[in-house]
Amino acid sequence: MKYYLSMLLTLCCLLSPSANASQTCGAECQLPQIHAYFKALDKVSQSGSSEQDVDDFLGLLHPNVNYIHLEYGANFDRANWRSAFIRNIARGAYQQPKEQRVLNYIVGKNHVAVEYAHGSIQPDGQWQQEQPLLVLFGFTDGKISLVKELW
């Protein structure tokens, strides 16, 4: 009888959403995704970037990702965001070599607020930071599902 009770308890724990690691994504899985996001976005935002770079970038994100930029009035789903990138590439918008870096972050429940900055590498190899910016990342099913620019 104890054997069956322990098996039942084990089964209940394994099926519990809070015990299922594939459904949770804490700082240990969120922060690497955020760094990968910025690295892939840097590649898209460079002169000579391609549609494949855009697809590689979007492939890092949740299928139902939503991009919001309050200042610019942007509210894109994945398809619209892709189209915006492709339009920018076609019109030559990405000419200045920039590198984005995370400066600070605050981890919350299924969200991470990130202070980051654009910058450029100087001839001496030093990164020259521009104005700090704020973005909020939301996570669903362990992937970035919300990118909300707050600048």
Side-chain angles (χ1 to χ4, degrees):
M1 182 67 168
K2 285 183 182 181
Y3 173 77
Y4 292 111
L5 272 167
S6 73
M7 290 300 290
L8 181 61
L9 182 59
T10 302
L11 184 60
C12 287
C13 288
L14 288 173
L15 296 176
S16 167
S18 63
N20 189 343
S22 67
Q23 292 185 4
T24 61
C25 181
E28 69 284 346
C29 97
Q30 294 170 343
L31 297 177
Q33 287 186 64
I34 290 168
H35 287 285
Y37 167 93
F38 282 116
K39 183 175 181 178
L41 185 57
D42 281 345
K43 189 170 183 182
V44 168
S45 303
Q46 298 296 319
S47 178
S49 61
S50 67
E51 286 189 33
Q52 185 61 53
D53 294 327
V54 173
D55 292 337
D56 291 345
F57 167 73
L58 292 172
L60 298 173
L61 311 175
H62 191 277
N64 296 323
V65 66
N66 190 14
Y67 174 80
I68 300 169
H69 195 302
L70 297 177
E71 183 70 20
Y72 298 140
N75 189 347
F76 297 150
D77 63 11
R78 179 190 212 96
N80 290 334
W81 200 9
R82 183 184 189 282
S83 295
F85 278 124
I86 301 305
R87 280 192 309 273
N88 283 341
I89 290 170
R91 68 181 180 85
Y94 305 128
Q95 297 299 319
Q96 296 291 344
K98 299 281 184 177
E99 181 179 305
Q100 300 173 85
R101 292 191 182 176
V102 172
L103 305 175
N104 201 1
Y105 59 87
I106 300 171
V107 177
K109 184 173 183 173
N110 297 319
H111 290 83
V112 179
V114 175
E115 177 187 25
Y116 73 101
H118 298 270
S120 55
I121 305 296
Q122 302 303 298
D124 66 359
Q126 295 294 316
W127 181 69
Q128 173 99 28
Q129 175 185 323
E130 296 176 9
Q131 176 183 350
L133 305 169
L134 178 63
V135 62
L136 178 68
F137 290 96
F139 290 80
T140 302
D141 300 327
K143 295 195 92 172
I144 295 172
S145 59
L146 171 68
V147 180
K148 189 172 186 178
E149 298 278 3
L150 300 167
W151 55 271

